[in-house]
Amino acid sequence: MDSSKPAKAVRNAVESAAEKVADVLTPDLPGAPGSIPPTVDEPTTPREPLPPKKEQGAPRTGTPTGAETGAPPSAYGQQGAYLTTAQGARLRDTDHSLKAGPRGPVLLQDHHLREKITHFDHERIPERVVHARGTGAHGVFTGYGTAEGVTKAAFLAKGRETEVFVRFSTVLGSRGSADTVRDTRGFATKFYTDEGTFDLVANNIPVFFIQDAIKFPDVIHAGKPHPDREIPQAQSAHDTFWDFVSLHTEAQHHTMWNMSDRGVPRSYRMMEGFGVHTFRLVNAAGETALAKFHWKPKLGVHSLTWEEAQLLGGVDPDFHRRDLYDAIEAGAFPEWELGIQVLPDTPEETFAGIDLLDPTKLVPEELAPVQPIGRLVLNRTPTNFFAEVEQVAFHPGHLPPGVDVTNDPLLQGRLFSYLDTQLTRLGGPNFAQIPVNRPHAPVNDMLRDGFHQHAVHAGVAPYRPNSLDGGNPFPAGDDENAFVDVPVTVAQAPKVRANPASFDDHFSQARLFWLSMSPVEKEHIVRAYTFELGKCYHQAIRERQLRCLANIDPELCAQVATGLGLPAPEPTVPLADVAPSPTLSQLGREWPADGRVLGIVVDPDADLDGVGEVRRAALGAGLVPLLIAPHGGVVGDLPVQRTFATARSVEFDALLLAGAPAPAPDALPTRDAKAGAADSTTVDPRVLLLVEEAWRHAKAVGAWGGGVTVLERAGVTGTPGVVSAESGGDAFAAVRQLLSAHRVWERFPASVR
C-alpha cells in the first residue's frame, strides 16, 4: 500500500475486501443483529415478520391463568405483512401527519398521529430503584434428586426439567449506567415450576450490608449518587457511601467483598450466586432443616482487573450484556450448579457459633459443604428486552411447597418490599399476568379486576365459601401438595426495636475473608480501598474507615493508610482469631475455557494457512476466535471481525500474533488516537498497544512466525505467560492451557502476604 496516500490505500483495501466478503459467511461467530442478512436497497415486497434468531427465546404462550395454548412463542410477536394501527387497521403512510394542505396545520382528527405519539410518550416505565441496570436470559434447570431428603420441592426431583428466566444486574447504577462498575451483582432466577413460581433472588456476594430491612432505604440512599448533583453514577467511591459504612460497621463484611475482585466480575458466566438468607426446608415427612443456596459457575469465578473495568466503561459499557448474549449465540451456554448448605434447624438457629439469621454472616464451606442439587443452563436470549428483562418481576415470597422463610429481619422486610414496588413499576396488581411472569401452573386465585387485567374470569362467586360456583376454588390439602407455612414456635418475648447480641460482631467475618485471599487478591483489595477512599472529599471519613480496617487487619489498614498519606490507627477491638476459608479465593484452580474470546492479530503477508487452522481449532475447543486485521472484510479468504482501529485489549481473554503487521494507512494519531501509543515504523503501534495492555492485565499472549518480533518490540519476551512457538497450532495449545487459570498472576509478584 502507498502509505503516503492513506485515503486511497484504505479505499483500495476496502474495495478489494468487499469483492470477497459477500461470499464469506460466519454463522459460527456471534453478533449478527438480525435473523437474515439485510439487502443494500430497501425491501419493498410485502412479507411476513422475520423469524427470531436461532438463539432467541420468549415466554411460554400460556394464558394468564396458566393454561397451555399450543401456540408458538412467535404468537406474542407482531403479525402480518402490513403496517396497522393498534386496532389492526392497515395504514397507507406513517411518515406524514394529516394536514390541511401540504403546508397547512396538522388536523386534530389525525387519530393515527395521536395513537403513535401517545404510545411513544408513555413507552417508559419507572426503572427499578435498585438493580436497574440488568440483563437476562431463558434456560432450563434440571434437578439431581439429591435434595429429596431435606425438601419436598418437586422441581428438584431427579431428571425433572424446569424452565427458568434469569436476570443479572448491578445494584447502584441507573438503567443507562455501565456494566463493569465496582458493585454488587444481582442473580435472580425465576423457576416456572409445576407447583407455582419459585423466585431465588440472589446476589454474587453471600452477605449483605445491613441486618434489618428497615435500614434498606439508608444504605441505598448512601450508595446512590449525591442528590444535589446526581453524581457519581454507579459508583461507591464517594463520601455518602463511606460515611454510612464507616459509621454503620455491620456493613464492613459486605464492603470487603465489594472491594475485592468480586466487585468487578469478568462475566456473568463466571460469577457465583448466593441466596444470602437462611431458608427453611421441609421434606415429605414434615421434617425441617435450614439451608443456604449457592450457584457455582462451571467456568469458575473470575474477575476483571481494575484498569480493564475502567477501560470497558468507556470502550464497551455493555460488556457483560454482550458477553452473555454472544456466548449463548455461539453455543457456549452459561452453566451453573445449584447447591445447598444444609444446617440443623435448632431453636437457637445458629451453626458453629454463627447466627444463621444474620444476613451479614456466611457459613464457611469447610464447616458446611455445598451439596449439589441441580444444574442450570442458559440457552436462549430474549426476543424483546423490555417485555422480558424489564418487566420480569421477582419476589422472595414466591416459594414452592418445601421451601419456607426464616425470621431473618432483612428477608422479612423484603417479603413486603418486593411486592409493593411492582405496583408502581408495572402499573398495578396484575403484573403476574405479563407473559414473562406467568406461572406454568394452573392459577385460580379469586383476585379480580385492577389495571391491566388480561384474564377473562368466569363464574359469579370470587369468594370463599360459595355455592354459586359449585364451591370452586377448593382449598388444597396435604395430599394435593399445598404450600406449607412451617409451624415454627415463636418464643415469648417483649416487642422491641433491637437485634440479638450475636448480631454485634461486625469484623470477624471481614477478617476471615481477608485472610482467605491470595497475595494478589489482597493487593487488589488494598488498591480498591485506596482508590475509593481517595475519591472521598472529607478527611474525617477516610480516617473513620481506616479505624474500621484496623479492626479487620493491621496490614490491610497500614497499606491503605500509606496510599492515602495518613497514619494507620490502632485496633479498637481485639482481632478475631479465625481460620481462613480457601473456597473464598478465586485463584488456585483450573477451569474450562468455554466461550473465552481469543484475539488473533493477522498480518496479510504472514501465515494465513496457520491462522485458518488456529481459528478452526479454537472453534472446535469452544472458544470464540476474533480476527484482528489492518482493515475489515477479509484477509485472504478469512473473515475479519475487528480492525486495528476498532479492537481494544479488554475485549479478549488472550492474544495470538500471526505476524508483525506494518503500520496500516490509518495508523495516524489524527485518525486514531491509539496510533500515537507507541513510536513504531515497522509494527502498527495499535498492535503494540494491544500486546502491552494484555500483558499488563496478566493475559496469556502467544506468537509464531513474525509475531515473535512483536513480542520483542513490546519488551515482553520471556516473561511468564508469553509464548513464542514454531507454529500456530503450538502457540494456540499453549495459550489455551494458560487460559484454564484465567490469568497469569505470577507475572506480577505481590508485596502483600
Side-chain angles (χ1 to χ4, degrees):
M1 294 184 179
D2 183 358
S3 58
S4 64
K5 299 178 179 179
K8 180 180 179 182
V10 169
R11 184 171 62 251
N12 291 341
V14 170
E15 290 174 352
S16 176
E19 295 175 359
K20 303 177 182 179
V21 73
D23 299 324
V24 179
L25 299 179
T26 55
D28 46 8
L29 293 174
S35 57
I36 65 170
T39 58
V40 175
D41 297 325
E42 179 184 355
T44 56
T45 303
R47 60 167 298 164
E48 294 296 310
L50 294 175
K53 296 170 64 181
K54 61 180 176 61
E55 77 278 4
Q56 290 178 329
R60 191 188 70 167
T61 52
T63 70
T65 51
E68 294 274 10
T69 66
S74 59
Y76 279 133
Q78 58 270 38
Q79 308 295 322
Y82 296 98
L83 177 68
T84 74
T85 67
Q87 308 304 317
R90 292 182 179 178
L91 293 165
R92 293 179 179 273
D93 180 273
T94 190
D95 294 332
H96 305 93
S97 301
L98 188 65
K99 297 184 284 288
R103 298 176 63 82
V106 174
L107 299 179
L108 184 62
Q109 73 180 65
D110 191 348
H111 56 89
H112 174 47
L113 167 67
R114 182 174 183 187
E115 179 186 75
K116 186 175 179 180
I117 293 297
T118 298
H119 193 282
F120 173 75
D121 290 344
H122 295 267
E123 279 183 0
R124 293 294 171 264
I125 63 174
E127 67 174 33
R128 290 167 168 85
V129 176
V130 290
H131 297 276
R133 173 69 179 183
T135 193
H138 299 272
V140 63
F141 177 84
T142 305
Y144 289 165
T146 52
E148 291 180 353
V150 292
T151 176
K152 65 177 183 176
F155 80 98
L156 295 173
K158 186 175 182 179
R160 178 73 65 88
E161 292 189 351
T162 301
E163 292 185 65
V164 300
F165 187 84
V166 177
R167 187 177 189 271
F168 302 104
S169 56
T170 55
V171 172
L172 292 178
S174 68
R175 187 180 169 194
S177 58
D179 279 348
T180 59
V181 295
R182 182 179 295 280
D183 199 357
T184 305
R185 264 69 181 179
F187 189 142
T189 306
K190 186 176 290 292
F191 297 83
Y192 301 99
T193 86
D194 296 337
E195 301 175 307
T197 299
F198 173 35
D199 287 346
L200 181 54
V201 192
N203 283 339
N204 75 320
I205 291 175
V207 293
F208 206 64
F209 282 111
I210 53 175
Q211 296 168 325
D212 192 311
I214 199 169
K215 293 176 280 194
F216 198 82
D218 300 307
V219 66
I220 297 305
H221 289 166
K224 284 285 191 177
H226 292 196
D228 56 344
R229 301 188 180 188
E230 190 64 12
I231 54 175
Q233 179 59 243
Q235 290 189 52
S236 55
H238 56 93
D239 286 70
T240 58
F241 174 82
W242 289 101
D243 184 39
F244 179 83
V245 301
S246 60
L247 289 168
H248 210 66
T249 53
E250 69 192 57
Q252 289 296 314
H253 188 197
H254 187 124
T255 302
M256 176 70 77
W257 279 75
N258 230 28
M259 294 303 104
S260 78
D261 291 342
R262 303 280 186 144
V264 281
R266 157 62 180 82
S267 165
Y268 292 134
R269 301 179 291 130
M270 304 167 195
M271 192 175 79
E272 226 168 347
F274 304 91
V276 178
H277 307 288
T278 301
F279 290 83
R280 179 169 277 107
L281 306 181
V282 57
N283 64 15
E287 300 164 329
T288 64
L290 301 181
K292 286 182 174 289
F293 289 98
H294 293 250
W295 288 113
K296 299 286 190 181
K298 173 186 175 183
L299 302 180
V301 185
H302 306 297
S303 297
L304 298 167
T305 67
W306 180 229
E307 185 184 24
E308 283 181 305
Q310 292 176 302
L311 286 171
L312 282 164
V315 174
D316 188 3
D318 306 302
F319 179 72
H320 284 152
R321 181 178 297 182
R322 190 186 316 280
D323 174 89
L324 177 69
Y325 293 154
D326 282 357
I328 294 174
E329 186 178 356
F333 297 144
E335 184 176 326
W336 291 261
E337 212 167 37
L338 179 63
I340 51 174
Q341 287 180 296
V342 180
L343 310 161
D345 190 0
T346 64
E348 296 78 19
E349 296 173 309
T350 63
F351 180 79
I354 301 166
D355 194 323
L356 298 177
L357 300 188
D358 182 351
T360 68
K361 303 292 194 302
L362 58 81
V363 176
E365 293 183 33
E366 290 77 14
L367 300 179
V370 175
Q371 304 174 29
I373 61 174
R375 173 174 171 261
L376 167 67
V377 177
L378 298 183
N379 54 17
R380 292 175 293 140
T381 64
T383 296
N384 184 279
F385 196 90
F386 173 81
E388 298 165 73
V389 179
E390 286 305 305
Q391 292 195 124
V392 68
F394 296 95
H395 177 29
H398 293 164
L399 300 165
V403 182
D404 200 4
V405 300
T406 60
N407 291 336
D408 175 337
L410 178 63
L411 175 57
Q412 294 276 314
R414 293 176 74 195
L415 294 172
F416 171 83
S417 178
Y418 276 68
L419 182 61
D420 186 58
T421 194
Q422 311 301 349
L423 300 179
T424 298
R425 283 200 67 248
L426 299 174
N430 290 313
F431 59 85
Q433 296 183 17
I434 295 170
V436 73
N437 295 323
R438 290 179 183 175
H440 291 191
V443 175
N444 196 346
D445 53 20
M446 293 196 300
L447 305 177
R448 294 294 185 268
D449 306 340
F451 285 108
H452 313 299
Q453 177 59 255
H454 289 243
V456 182
H457 295 104
V460 296
Y463 52 83
R464 274 205 51 80
N466 75 74
S467 63
L468 295 178
D469 282 348
N472 180 276
F474 299 91
D478 292 339
D479 293 342
E480 289 81 24
N481 206 24
F483 179 81
V484 176
D485 293 291
V486 179
V488 177
T489 300
V490 179
Q492 182 177 349
K495 291 189 293 185
V496 295
R497 292 188 183 273
N499 281 334
S502 57
F503 278 39
D504 292 340
D505 172 16
H506 297 165
F507 299 112
S508 67
Q509 289 215 330
R511 178 165 173 76
L512 164 68
F513 185 80
W514 167 259
L515 294 178
S516 302
M517 295 294 100
S518 65
V520 69
E521 290 170 305
K522 288 181 178 179
E523 289 280 4
H524 296 169
I525 291 172
V526 169
R527 181 168 58 193
Y529 273 110
T530 306
F531 175 88
E532 296 250 334
L533 292 171
K535 287 282 189 177
C536 291
Y537 179 85
H538 291 288
Q539 185 84 337
I541 292 174
R542 298 188 188 115
E543 293 178 2
R544 190 191 309 139
Q545 178 58 31
L546 285 175
R547 293 179 188 174
C548 294
L549 295 184
N551 291 335
I552 296 170
D553 187 85
E555 182 182 20
L556 167 63
C557 180
Q559 294 281 349
V560 175
T562 298
L564 296 175
L566 296 172
E570 293 296 320
T572 58
V573 298
L575 293 177
D577 182 14
V578 293
S581 174
T583 57
L584 299 180
S585 173
Q586 297 182 189
L587 275 61
R589 283 157 285 175
E590 292 190 351
W591 304 97
D594 301 30
R596 300 300 180 94
V597 181
L598 178 66
I600 307 175
V601 176
V602 179
D603 182 346
D605 299 322
D607 178 19
L608 297 184
D609 290 339
V611 172
E613 292 175 6
V614 167
R615 182 175 178 275
R616 289 189 292 272
L619 289 169
L623 278 71
V624 179
L626 300 181
L627 269 57
I628 313 166
H631 56 74
V634 294
V635 173
D637 60 355
L638 298 173
V640 173
Q641 286 80 42
R642 299 289 187 274
T643 66
F644 298 162
T646 62
R648 200 67 192 260
S649 65
V650 285
E651 293 183 84
F652 311 109
D653 294 293
L655 280 181
L656 281 178
L657 299 149
D666 63 342
L668 307 170
T670 53
R671 187 76 51 80
D672 183 356
K674 299 194 303 298
D679 181 15
S680 174
T681 58
T682 58
V683 177
D684 193 295
R686 295 164 297 183
V687 173
L688 291 174
L689 179 63
L690 274 175
V691 173
E692 291 164 0
E693 284 185 346
W695 185 86
R696 195 164 65 243
H697 300 151
K699 294 176 179 177
V701 180
W704 77 97
V708 175
T709 304
V710 181
L711 302 181
E712 295 170 352
R713 287 295 312 275
V716 301
T717 303
T719 57
V722 177
V723 178
S724 298
E726 294 295 326
S727 69
D730 290 344
F732 170 69
V735 165
R736 182 187 177 192
Q737 180 60 39
L738 290 166
L739 271 174
S740 65
H742 185 61
R743 294 186 193 267
V744 189
W745 290 122
E746 57 267 32
R747 190 177 289 161
F748 305 108
S751 61
V752 181
R753 295 295 168 187

